[in-house]
Amino acid sequence: IIPMLADVNVNLTGMLRAAGSSTQVTLNFKPSADADSVQLTALGPPGFNFSEVGVQGADRAITHRSATSVTISCTLARGQRPLPPLMLDGVRLPHSGSAEFRVAIF
């Protein structure tokens, strides 16, 4: 089995960090294959909300968003981190708990 992503980091980078706040999350990784989309899904805790998320960068666009996931159209090259990292604005934080995410490219 060859993993599709290496060195995956999902970080809370916005100034607002209180439960229920709308803030920024930064996603960074190294893909092991070329791709044109990335999907971030919140697995827990309940309460994450991506339904009003925006993405920074002229060559990036949100193609799908829901309460638990967001899909971003962007060019990803094998072995190269997206530059700048994917910055998602408007992520609603849950009320408590450690975060767990699934990141997929396609």
Side-chain angles (χ1 to χ4, degrees):
I1 296 173
I2 299 172
M4 296 301 292
L5 301 172
D7 301 324
V8 178
N9 291 298
V10 180
N11 296 305
L12 179 61
T13 52
M15 298 292 288
L16 301 175
R17 295 172 181 247
S21 295
S22 179
T23 194
Q24 183 182 75
V25 169
T26 300
L27 173 61
N28 202 1
F29 55 89
K30 190 183 295 185
S32 60
D34 293 344
D36 59 14
S37 293
V38 60
Q39 182 178 58
L40 176 66
T41 303
L43 302 176
F48 273 101
N49 192 325
F50 295 103
S51 63
E52 296 181 20
V53 164
V55 64
Q56 295 183 18
D59 59 342
R60 299 168 178 180
I62 302 290
T63 57
H64 173 78
R65 67 186 91 160
S66 70
T68 58
S69 70
V70 59
T71 303
I72 304 144
S73 172
C74 59
T75 301
L76 300 169
R78 178 179 168 216
Q80 297 178 15
R81 295 182 177 280
L83 292 174
L86 298 170
M87 292 178 275
L88 305 173
D89 296 314
V91 176
R92 181 77 54 193
L93 298 178
H95 290 285
S96 66
S98 298
E100 183 178 353
F101 297 97
R102 178 178 60 233
V103 181
I105 60 171
F106 47 96

